[in-house]
Amino acid sequence: MRIAVEHRSVYRFTQPQARIVQMLRLTPCDTQHQTVVSWMVGVDCDARLRDAVDGYGNAVTMLYAEGPIEAIEIAVTGEVLTTDNAGVVRGAAEPLPPALFLRTTARTAASPELAAFARDVSDGTGDPIERLHRLNQALHARFRCVPDVPDTGLTAAEAFAGKAQASRDLAQMFVAAARTLDAPARYVSGYRLDHMAQCAPHGWCEAWVAGLGWIGFDPVTGMSPGDGHVRVAVGLDADGAAAIAGRRIGHGDEELAVDVQVDRLGNEE
Amino acid sequence: MGSTGAFDEIWGHGGPEAPREAFAALSQWIAETPPDELQRRQHSAEAAFRQLGITFAVYGDSDAAERIIPFDIVPRIFLRREWEKLSEGLVQRVEAINAFLEDIYGARRILDEGILPPELVLHNEQFRPEVAGIRPPHGVWAHICGIDLVRTGPDEFYVLEDNARTPSGVSYMLENREAMIRLCPELFRDFRVAPVDSYPDMLLETMRSVAPSGRARPVCVVLTPGHFNSAYYEHSFLADSMGVELVEAADLVVDDDIVYMETIAGRVRVDVIYRRIDDDFLDPLVFRPDSLLGVPGLIAAYRAGNVALLNAPGNGIADDKAIYSYMPEIVRFYSGGEAKLPNVETWRCREPQALKYVLDHLPELVVKLVDGSGGYGMLVGPTATHAQIEAFRAALIAEPHRYIAQPTLALSTVPTLTEKGLAPRHVDFRPFVLTGSDKVRVVPGGLTRVALREGSLVVNSSQGGGTKDSFVLLGDAA
């Protein structure tokens, strides 16, 4: 499938900023089932951009801008060819061993309730992959999914106490729960085709299954990601894969507006 | 003058009347200088320290802020041959630490070969995936190491702890020496003592040697968390004596993956940063996002090879207490030989058999938290109350992986001035080892910490510890 992505993030400041430094995880990498045809990260003010690869193998872009800056827009446009591989990730840069992803973080620490939920759902029966699918479906069934909004820092444990959650929170809950079942799990940030405007990148997750490798799970659909997902960054939690991490030097408040459009192009396979 | 049964470094096992051969002169000096006079000199030294505002905290001694650490006027002395042997062991250990860090953030051969349990590294918070894949300029990770040693006999030294992050205490080494030269000049006539005052020059040479390639006259700075930090004196002292700028995070900016310091005359490119800020607070974009201390973009500049950070971020994995117990294997793996400086025997409570042994022998053992420091979270079995032992037993059973245990060593003593005159007190030792791109340098001296309370084995400043000057003799004859 040929997928077009447009992702705009606009920061507006109540007072001009002297400097802005941001780390952007906005660029997908090629895998066996995802080929980046074109990709552009643009900034609407005088800024210096530097590309690198972080410790997780994600493509990152450092953005340095000097003020006075009243607003800054980071615009991503690109096209990616995808094929469906039933969620199995092949050919991604994997600089870190899967066992690292058993580590828990503040945002993915399971509450006793979430751990009990994972235990009940997995039931100790079936293959590891079946258990993970059951977990994915159970999260999908338990929560009403709401549109993504910019990150508020909700933890998996907090999210589990609610009823309706965005993709980011569902993914963090999966990650937290899978780790309690001794499955290495990580957060994935990217884009998902659904023909609707969104206000944040899409979040899902991957779990490691011996013999198969990293397998994607998307609790929003209750299924594994297919050719409608574009994988951008992975991390131990949503912070580790955040699209934009930034610091500004200057007073006043900021307002962030995000617009994500993901569309299918043409009809080719 | 009581004897503790332990080896006394001056008096040996024989007491004041029968000092070790090489130390007759010192023993005589101790005997001939009236205690009142020693007291007077000691007070004079402490008054000077108070005026300078020297305080320092060895890792985690957070309550030591603004406290003057007591100084003892009687020096500790290493013979030349003792020192040479010790130095060889220190160089080997620090080389192994550097090789380990290079490996663990790169190829991870040591995990593939099964030398270390992978989860011990991968699940350890001190292993920082954020800096995985980065090779620091010239491949040096642990530029400044403080290796904590204890001694139990004339030739028996053990490593108690490695410090490969931001070991402090070097200003004490330097100030103690200055005080001794001023107050006890006769000792420097009687003994040929290796000077330590070249430390700032050695440190600066080390810093320059690891500057990114192609920088002809590298700019070096010391990065401090600020004057509220308990080791601020040391930060400013080192910057001053090296003749480099002392900066705070707000003085540094990163632009286009290059670090600059803001000065009145404009921006100046910075090549080497001796940072006395913990990893967590280095760069809010990569580590703790709530950190106000850090420099946004610093890790990007580091990853791009445009700046050297001393010590490298992520070093905590090398001096973690859980890793410590594997140091003999780590040294063997990278050096191909046996460790010249042994570890203290260590039971890893995460291993069921070790846990059983520890629970059966609590009154004899020292039990430590793997991630604790500064003498906290520690049980000293022989001096603990029954209630303390039982509290540790419960904690060990609940979370065995968080603890290690070691035998209670008969730490060596050095005569120390007490209210009742001279008496043996237990000591440990922190030598400083500098690693540059060119070579490894062991500073001929270090920080001797002394447990001032009679019989106490805890030398931490927060727990009633003091310091002494540490002489390294240039010739063995006194």
Side-chain angles (χ1 to χ4, degrees):
Chain A
M1 192 184 286
R2 194 177 182 99
I3 294 176
V5 176
E6 267 193 52
H7 176 184
R8 278 170 207 288
S9 307
V10 182
Y11 292 86
R12 285 196 179 79
F13 307 105
T14 54
Q15 292 181 43
Q17 302 299 300
R19 310 189 63 232
I20 292 178
V21 180
Q22 292 183 332
M23 182 167 65
L24 315 176
R25 292 187 197 84
L26 287 170
T27 305
C29 295
D30 285 354
T31 66
Q32 280 186 22
H33 302 280
Q34 155 174 317
T35 305
V36 180
V37 179
S38 66
W39 203 266
M40 277 274 299
V41 178
V43 184
D44 71 342
C45 65
D46 184 17
R48 284 157 297 288
L49 301 180
R50 285 272 166 186
D51 292 331
V53 175
D54 75 8
Y56 292 89
N58 301 314
V60 298
T61 306
M62 291 301 299
L63 179 158
Y64 304 95
E66 297 284 331
I69 303 162
E70 287 175 355
I72 183 168
E73 175 177 319
I74 299 126
V76 174
T77 52
E79 285 180 30
V80 179
L81 281 172
T82 60
T83 53
D84 190 345
N85 194 41
V88 181
V89 181
R90 294 255 186 268
E94 298 290 358
L96 295 166
L100 178 92
F101 296 91
L102 282 168
R103 230 193 234 207
T104 184
T105 66
R107 290 191 75 178
T108 54
S111 56
E113 294 78 15
L114 179 52
F117 171 79
R119 209 167 43 239
D120 290 350
V121 167
S122 86
D123 189 24
T125 61
D127 294 340
I129 181 113
E130 284 170 34
R131 291 203 285 272
L132 291 164
H133 276 299
R134 282 208 296 276
L135 174 63
N136 195 29
Q137 285 149 10
L139 282 169
H140 173 69
R142 185 183 171 106
F143 293 94
R144 188 164 57 80
C145 186
V146 298
D148 287 297
V149 291
D151 198 349
T152 56
L154 201 67
T155 67
E158 288 163 352
F160 190 72
K163 287 198 164 49
Q165 300 302 349
S167 72
R168 178 190 311 111
D169 306 308
L170 287 165
Q172 290 208 119
M173 282 188 269
F174 181 102
V175 168
R179 288 178 190 156
T180 68
L181 302 175
D182 284 329
R186 64 193 183 189
Y187 184 92
V188 187
S189 159
Y191 304 102
R192 172 175 163 254
L193 180 66
D194 66 355
H195 303 290
M196 284 185 8
Q198 299 152 33
C199 295
H202 188 68
W204 68 97
C205 33
E206 289 169 359
W208 172 265
V209 179
L212 282 174
W214 287 104
I215 315 289
F217 295 92
D218 189 346
V220 168
T221 62
M223 296 190 289
S224 282
D227 55 4
H229 285 65
V230 176
R231 213 174 156 273
V232 175
V234 299
L236 285 168
D237 58 17
D239 287 333
I244 302 178
R247 262 305 154 95
R248 60 191 170 89
I249 309 297
H251 297 288
D253 296 323
E254 74 179 35
E255 192 188 276
L256 169 63
V258 181
D259 177 40
V260 180
Q261 303 260 6
V262 185
D263 292 302
R264 181 176 184 170
L265 292 177
N267 289 313
E268 67 269 61
E269 282 303 302
Chain B
M1 291 180 217
S3 166
T4 58
F7 168 69
D8 189 275
E9 298 189 7
I10 307 297
W11 294 334
H13 285 288
E17 292 74 30
R20 295 171 71 205
E21 202 181 342
F23 296 105
L26 186 77
S27 200
Q28 198 180 348
W29 174 80
I30 294 172
E32 286 174 358
T33 315
D36 287 358
E37 173 59 14
L38 290 176
Q39 285 287 6
R40 189 193 64 74
R41 294 182 189 181
Q42 186 159 308
H43 288 152
S44 165
E46 286 182 351
F49 295 159
R50 200 165 292 119
Q51 200 159 17
L52 284 166
I54 310 178
T55 59
F56 88 112
V58 175
Y59 267 150
D61 283 2
S62 52
D63 71 340
E66 300 314 314
R67 189 142 29 121
I68 299 296
I69 297 168
F71 171 68
D72 184 73
I73 196 82
V74 182
R76 183 226 207 125
I77 302 184
F78 292 100
L79 301 177
R80 181 176 176 167
R81 58 176 165 77
E82 291 174 344
W83 186 256
E84 282 172 353
K85 196 165 165 230
L86 204 53
S87 296
E88 279 176 30
L90 289 168
V91 169
Q92 182 199 41
R93 185 128 180 149
V94 167
E95 284 177 346
I97 287 172
N98 271 295
F100 172 66
L101 287 163
E102 170 102 357
D103 186 30
I104 215 71
Y105 286 108
R108 286 184 296 274
R109 228 161 32 88
I110 196 164
L111 301 188
D112 292 346
E113 304 216 358
I115 311 291
L116 288 182
E119 69 275 10
L120 203 64
V121 171
L122 299 174
H123 299 175
N124 193 318
E125 283 190 12
Q126 298 301 333
F127 175 71
R128 302 283 192 166
E130 296 86 351
V131 292
I134 300 179
R135 186 167 192 268
H138 307 276
V140 184
W141 299 76
H143 311 79
I144 303 142
C145 281
I147 308 291
D148 289 352
L149 301 172
V150 294
R151 185 178 193 181
T152 58
D155 289 309
E156 286 140 58
F157 289 90
Y158 296 90
V159 178
L160 197 58
E161 189 173 301
D162 302 291
N163 293 283
R165 283 174 256 187
T166 51
S168 59
V170 79
S171 59
Y172 262 71
M173 171 183 83
L174 297 170
E175 295 291 359
N176 285 357
R177 175 61 51 83
E178 214 171 291
M180 287 301 285
I181 290 173
R182 186 163 51 84
L183 296 167
C184 307
E186 69 276 20
L187 282 177
F188 295 85
R189 266 198 322 267
D190 295 348
F191 295 99
R192 284 178 54 218
V193 182
V196 290
D197 57 2
S198 59
Y199 178 81
D201 294 334
M202 288 164 75
L203 179 58
L204 187 59
E205 256 177 69
T206 301
M207 289 178 75
R208 286 184 174 145
S209 80
V210 294
S213 311
R215 301 288 298 160
R217 265 176 307 195
V219 174
C220 304
V221 300
V222 176
L223 174 60
T224 173
H227 59 84
F228 52 81
N229 185 278
S230 59
Y232 182 72
Y233 171 79
E234 183 161 305
H235 308 161
S236 64
F237 172 86
L238 287 173
D240 247 26
S241 40
M242 287 192 288
V244 306
E245 293 292 329
L246 178 68
V247 300
E248 295 184 26
D251 302 319
L252 297 179
V253 297
V254 182
D255 189 12
D256 216 10
D257 286 358
I258 291 169
V259 184
Y260 298 92
M261 113 179 108
E262 304 270 23
T263 73
I264 298 165
R267 284 186 180 172
V268 175
R269 180 167 174 170
V270 173
D271 304 290
V272 185
I273 301 175
Y274 179 22
R275 50 94 176 199
R276 296 291 295 257
I277 294 183
D278 290 346
D279 287 359
D280 269 345
F281 304 104
L282 270 183
D283 181 346
L285 304 190
V286 175
F287 298 115
R288 273 178 55 168
D290 56 338
S291 160
L292 296 175
L293 297 171
V295 184
L298 185 60
I299 296 299
Y302 173 59
R303 185 176 282 282
N306 292 335
V307 69
L309 299 175
L310 283 71
N311 287 346
N315 274 14
I317 191 63
D319 64 18
D320 183 80
K321 287 196 185 68
I323 298 292
Y324 161 85
S325 66
Y326 289 92
M327 276 307 286
E329 286 95 329
I330 290 173
V331 170
R332 196 179 308 132
F333 184 70
Y334 296 109
S335 77
E338 292 303 308
K340 293 173 184 168
L341 273 173
N343 265 18
V344 179
E345 186 179 9
T346 302
W347 289 274
R348 303 166 191 133
C349 301
R350 62 204 297 278
E351 295 168 5
Q353 284 210 303
L355 176 64
K356 183 174 180 308
Y357 179 88
V358 171
L359 292 173
D360 288 348
H361 295 85
L362 277 179
E364 304 153 30
L365 299 174
V366 177
V367 184
K368 296 174 178 175
L369 272 173
V370 290
D371 52 0
S373 63
Y376 297 100
M378 183 167 150
L379 175 78
V380 182
T383 59
T385 64
H386 180 72
Q388 285 168 328
I389 289 179
E390 288 315 305
F392 259 78
R393 185 184 305 281
L396 272 163
I397 292 168
E399 295 183 294
H401 61 279
R402 294 192 64 200
Y403 295 90
I404 56 166
Q406 294 171 333
T408 316
L409 296 180
L411 295 196
S412 62
T413 58
V414 175
T416 298
L417 190 59
T418 72
E419 290 187 351
K420 295 179 195 150
L422 286 152
R425 289 290 181 266
H426 295 291
V427 292
D428 79 351
F429 186 52
R430 173 179 290 184
F432 295 92
V433 183
L434 299 178
T435 305
S437 66
D438 47 346
K439 60 176 174 179
V440 182
R441 303 166 170 90
V442 181
V443 184
L447 175 65
T448 291
R449 294 189 295 175
V450 50
L452 295 173
R453 264 181 296 139
E454 186 172 357
S456 171
L457 294 168
V458 184
V459 296
N460 300 84
S461 57
S462 55
Q463 318 260 321
T467 69
K468 281 173 173 292
D469 194 2
S470 316
F471 289 6
V472 172
L473 298 189
L474 290 168
D476 269 357

